[in-house]
Amino acid sequence: MNELLQSLIRGAGLGGMYATIAVGFVIIFRATGVLNFAQPVFMIFGTLFSYYLVDSAGLPFPLAAVAAVAAVAAIATATERIAMRPMVGRPAFSATLVTVGLFAAGIVLVHKLFGAKVITSGDPWGLSNFCLGGHRPADSVVAACVDGVTVNYTDLFKVITALGVIAALVLWLERSRYGLAMRAAAMDQETAMAQGIDVGRVFSLSWALAGALAAVGGILLGTAPGGVEAAAVLIALKALPAIIIGGLDSITGALAGAMIVGLAEALTKTYQPDIAPWLGANFDVVMPYVLMFAVLLIRPHGLFGAKEVQRV
């Protein structure tokens, strides 16, 4: 039971991190109809900026995190203006291919910036972990938790941060003028323009929000034990199964899908080597995509996605 609880807590932490990236995918897709494959690059930029601001500039972690989010949001806005704005009016598939090119170029840049380094923001909360339902000899954070579950504070903060950020975003989208404009543009761009909405500004805003959310995910990734290397940019691709499971146009679905993916990954990592060793090592990396295919077979629009009805 303790092993199960520990896996669930770890999976919820992973799900929280994936959720911040997945919601960014959904925001851009809803506003522009484009699936933005550049999100993983924005995520790893969040990791890099927060690390350098703490390690080199000596800023406190909270201030470094805010600055990193703002910097990545600015980069995402510039990317939309330079690379994506000329694609307005073109087929969504063509624009999506541009984001694939941005992803490829971003991977090269990230490997140049990282080199062979492994970076980490360490334990910014200075709390490490605690023992739930048990005890430790001499109250040590290193010794094993006896008759209980070891809970990493980073996992809790991932969940709390993801839920807080996404809840604030949903509230803002529902209550603010800009949120209303984004929803109007997502429903019908031509009608929104006829009503005086600056659709170009809506596109820039959607990219800025998606970049900021990806940066939050990257900052949370940077607090992981063991550090982060350049290949971690591929971790963000696990947000794709999350949004497909939840529904491409649903923020609620993105959150639910991310949690499903995180929990499935953690449980597979814990139990698969004993239950199904014939599946090979690291099958937990594949499990999100297995779930994605299973959901697509049953619900092609995802668990919370809206079905399109075309009249002919």
Side-chain angles (χ1 to χ4, degrees):
M1 179 58 72
N2 288 341
E3 187 178 48
L4 174 61
L5 289 175
Q6 196 158 326
S7 296
L8 291 175
I9 293 169
R10 186 172 65 251
L14 288 172
M17 183 178 67
Y18 296 152
T20 58
I21 305 164
V23 171
F25 273 106
V26 170
I27 286 175
I28 291 182
F29 183 80
R30 286 176 57 173
T32 67
V34 173
L35 196 58
N36 176 28
F37 285 93
Q39 278 290 90
V41 180
F42 297 147
M43 179 205 73
I44 209 69
F45 279 171
T47 306
L48 274 170
F49 289 163
S50 61
Y51 166 75
Y52 283 121
L53 288 172
V54 170
D55 186 69
S56 300
L59 293 179
F61 179 79
L63 184 59
V66 172
V69 169
V72 176
I75 291 173
T77 304
T79 301
E80 186 279 332
R81 194 69 182 86
I82 295 169
M84 301 305 300
R85 190 67 62 88
M87 300 301 295
V88 172
R90 305 284 181 88
F93 178 73
S94 300
T96 299
L97 287 180
V98 173
T99 70
V100 173
L102 291 171
F103 172 64
I107 286 180
V108 174
L109 178 60
V110 165
H111 278 82
K112 290 287 186 183
L113 294 174
F114 265 84
K117 289 189 299 185
V118 175
I119 66 174
T120 178
S121 299
D123 183 10
W125 299 281
L127 300 170
S128 187
N129 57 57
F130 65 94
C131 192
L132 179 65
H135 65 278
R136 279 196 176 101
D139 197 28
S140 170
V141 297
V142 179
C145 184
V146 180
D147 297 326
V149 179
T150 301
V151 180
N152 292 319
Y153 280 97
T154 52
D155 290 331
L156 294 181
F157 277 104
K158 284 176 183 177
V159 176
I160 293 169
T161 301
L163 293 178
V165 168
I166 294 171
L169 175 66
V170 170
L171 186 64
W172 180 80
L173 288 174
E174 291 179 350
R175 302 290 178 86
S176 71
R177 285 180 53 210
Y178 288 107
L180 180 61
M182 287 184 68
R183 285 187 287 149
M187 292 177 64
D188 191 319
Q189 293 179 12
E190 292 184 1
T191 303
M193 292 175 67
Q195 296 297 320
I197 294 174
D198 188 343
V199 174
R201 182 175 294 179
V202 169
F203 288 175
S204 293
L205 181 60
S206 67
W207 275 72
L209 289 173
L213 287 166
V216 171
I219 292 166
L220 294 175
L221 176 65
T223 63
V228 177
E229 55 187 359
V233 67
L234 300 176
I235 290 175
L237 292 179
K238 292 179 186 176
L240 286 175
I243 60 174
I244 291 172
I245 289 170
L248 280 171
D249 57 352
S250 172
I251 292 178
T252 303
L255 177 59
M259 287 299 174
I260 291 171
V261 166
L263 291 171
E265 184 179 346
L267 291 171
T268 302
K269 188 177 183 65
T270 300
Y271 294 107
Q272 177 264 324
D274 295 327
I275 296 174
W278 48 272
L279 289 172
N282 298 322
F283 186 75
D284 56 290
V285 177
V286 182
M287 191 61 191
Y289 301 95
V290 174
L291 278 176
M292 178 185 71
F293 285 122
V295 171
L296 284 174
L297 290 173
I298 302 169
R299 293 183 63 90
H301 296 279
L303 299 177
F304 294 87
K307 294 182 179 180
E308 290 187 7
V309 178
Q310 295 184 348
R311 299 186 184 276
V312 295

